[in-house]
Amino acid sequence: MTATPNSESDCVDFVLAVLDELEGCDASAETVDDAFGLLAAQRRRLLLSVMRTYGESLTLPDAAEEVAVRETGCQVPNISAERVHEIYLSLYHDHLPRLVDAGLLEYDQERDLVVPIGLE
């Protein structure tokens, strides 16, 4: 493992904070596992963050661009169309269906629109 001592400390602090929150939570172990599974992929976390930030429906191409911006730290003009397309495809085929199944988002395929239903 090549983590720096500071990042290890940050990770330990984060885990302890999460454990503290879980102690006061009455969610089942299955619910906690499902939630951590949904949050395990950075791209899903970024998509949820984008949808919470905007708080309204976005087209999937617009959401993919915003995820690309957050993922790369670059503005849209500096991100290749291929990169945005790859992100769009991974959202469409993998991440979005999981978040829809969990009840966090809805997806209108006809309009290619992502709706944040469970993020209020």
Side-chain angles (χ1 to χ4, degrees), residues 32-67:
V32 171
D33 290 345
D34 289 346
F36 281 130
L38 286 172
L39 297 173
Q42 180 188 27
R43 199 164 276 171
R44 277 195 294 278
R45 293 191 307 273
L46 290 174
L47 178 57
L48 289 171
S49 177
V50 165
M51 298 310 297
R52 285 187 75 184
T53 297
Y54 284 88
E56 61 187 22
S57 301
L58 292 175
T59 65
L60 187 53
D62 287 343
E65 279 188 351
E66 188 61 32
V67 167

Side-chain angles (χ1 to χ4, degrees), residues 44 57 72 79 82 98 106:
R44 277 195 294 278
S57 301
T72 65
I79 303 171
E82 293 82 16
R98 293 172 194 246
E106 282 184 355

